[in-house]
Amino acid sequence: MQLGLIGLGRMGANMGKRLLRNGHSVVGWNREPEPIREIAAEGGIAATSTADLVKKLQTPRHIWLMLPAGVVDQMIDELVPLLSPGDTIIDGGNSYYRDDLRRAKALSAKGIDYVDCGVSGGVWGLERGYCLMIGGPDAAIARLDSVFRTLAPGTGTIPVTAGRGGAGDTSDIGYLHCGPVGAGHFVKMVHNGIEYALMAAYAEGFNILRHANMGKDKVVMDAETTPLREPDAYQYDIDIGRVAELWRRGSVVSSWLLDLTATALAEDPKLEKFGGRVSDSGEGRWTVIAAVEEGVPAHVITASLYDRFESRGNAEYGNKILSAMRYAFGGHHEKASGSRH
């Protein structure tokens, strides 16, 4: 199948290469030229502009956007005057599902189909494939089935769950038509909210292991810090990297995230190249909003989102307020930074 691909970043470029290596035709465009040259070297067709990309596509056209959520509307506005009824725009980024509803309504009035596709797989997707969560009209998704099937990982070595698979069920091979427009990004939104919480749980657990030797520290007693009651209970110098490797085998907490953590710890045991500033691209926030509006508790996901805010220094002013109040009512002076206790 022929597909236009706009946005050849870390994921988009690899998706294009996976399609090309499996017999599809890809016309690619990116604001920076180097990724376009790379796609052309793989056998793709280089476009010099969005207009050139549209011109090089056969009708009905199918154009996949792999762009940051904040620029998708701008790109759609740029494309619409160049498109015809029967064409399809696929948003494979991490857009808010409510934006999908608005876009689909506007495009439908022009006879253009809109498909939202949440994509998970990161930079490993070229070889592993991509988990695809899809929303949109049945006919448009049926036309794109060969693209989804190529991008998806397939069953691989994972046994199919009893009762799953079979005719019409694609969940066992890694892609799923989740429902009408917005459903794909809604599922991806919750997927990423869960991802936040899983990552936070690993981070907190390994941090507890890292401090398991704090009983060995020489601590000056003062009135500002609760002392460690039983230092003898915290005398363990635990090799965190080896624990991560251990847990990968036979443990109920084994996962791909743990695999990646084990690799990171093997390469950089002290994680010195990281500053600990963790960004959020929106999906965690939107998951929490959905939970509030549905009246569904989401304690862990919400806490993990706030933890990311804190990692960026957004708690600093609030912490200063706390220090100011402690000093005002009790004359408590702040401890010097860098103390583990």
Side-chain angles (χ1 to χ4, degrees), residues 168-320:
D169 186 358
T170 60
S171 60
D172 59 314
I173 57 177
Y175 71 102
L176 181 67
H177 183 192
C178 300
V181 168
H185 278 149
F186 191 96
V187 173
K188 180 57 162 47
M189 173 186 79
V190 177
H191 167 283
N192 282 24
I194 293 170
E195 178 186 296
Y196 282 25
L198 290 172
M199 292 172 70
Y202 281 124
E204 291 179 6
F206 283 119
N207 203 21
I208 293 169
L209 291 175
R210 180 178 179 272
H211 290 83
N213 64 352
M214 67 186 302
K216 296 181 177 182
D217 290 350
K218 302 298 182 183
V219 180
V220 177
M221 296 294 183
D222 59 52
E224 296 301 309
T225 307
T226 300
L228 187 62
R229 290 174 61 95
E230 298 181 57
D232 288 347
Y234 295 92
Q235 299 285 323
Y236 305 116
D237 294 308
I238 295 173
D239 189 324
I240 297 171
R242 292 187 187 278
V243 170
E245 188 65 23
L246 168 71
W247 285 350
R248 293 181 62 216
R249 291 166 172 80
S251 167
V252 295
V253 300
S254 61
S255 72
W256 186 38
L257 286 172
L258 183 60
D259 295 345
L260 298 176
T261 302
T263 298
L265 289 169
E267 294 173 349
D268 182 9
K270 295 183 178 180
L271 302 178
E272 291 178 331
K273 63 183 177 183
F274 298 101
R277 179 184 173 90
V278 187
S279 298
D280 73 291
S281 55
E283 300 86 358
R285 302 185 189 205
W286 304 331
T287 302
V288 172
I289 291 171
V292 170
E293 293 183 340
E294 293 174 358
V296 174
H299 309 291
V300 179
I301 293 174
T302 302
S304 69
L305 175 65
Y306 289 160
D307 189 57
R308 292 192 176 204
F309 295 163
E310 185 172 24
S311 78
R312 304 199 292 269
N314 294 344
E316 183 178 1
Y317 185 74
N319 290 335
K320 289 182 177 181

Side-chain angles (χ1 to χ4, degrees), residues 49 58 71 78 81 86 107 110 136 141 148-149 214 221-222 228 240 246 255 271 280 286 326 329 338:
S49 64
Q58 301 169 0
V71 300
E78 189 174 328
L107 291 171
K110 300 179 183 296
I141 289 169
F148 298 139
R149 191 172 292 270
M214 67 186 302
M221 296 294 183
D222 59 52
L228 187 62
I240 297 171
L246 168 71
S255 72
L271 302 178
D280 73 291
W286 304 331
R326 290 189 79 245
F329 70 67

Side-chain angles (χ1 to χ4, degrees), residues 22-36:
N22 287 276
H24 295 271
S25 173
V26 174
V27 182
W29 183 78
N30 194 73
R31 292 201 183 277
E32 291 76 36
E34 181 57 30
I36 303 176

Side-chain angles (χ1 to χ4, degrees), residues 21-102:
R21 293 175 187 180
N22 287 276
H24 295 271
S25 173
V26 174
V27 182
W29 183 78
N30 194 73
R31 292 201 183 277
E32 291 76 36
E34 181 57 30
I36 303 176
R37 290 192 284 267
E38 291 179 8
I39 281 290
E42 288 276 344
I45 300 169
T48 57
S49 64
T50 52
D52 185 48
L53 179 139
V54 171
K55 184 179 179 180
K56 289 177 175 175
L57 291 172
Q58 301 169 0
T59 57
R61 307 174 186 90
H62 299 86
I63 301 177
W64 191 303
L65 309 181
M66 283 303 292
L67 300 169
V71 300
V72 171
D73 282 327
Q74 177 184 342
M75 180 54 65
I76 291 175
D77 289 344
E78 189 174 328
L79 287 170
V80 165
L82 307 171
L83 300 181
S84 306
D87 293 344
T88 303
I89 293 175
I90 307 102
D91 178 13
N94 283 326
S95 288
Y96 191 21
Y97 77 97
R98 294 188 181 187
D99 291 334
D100 294 324
L101 300 175
R102 169 179 52 79

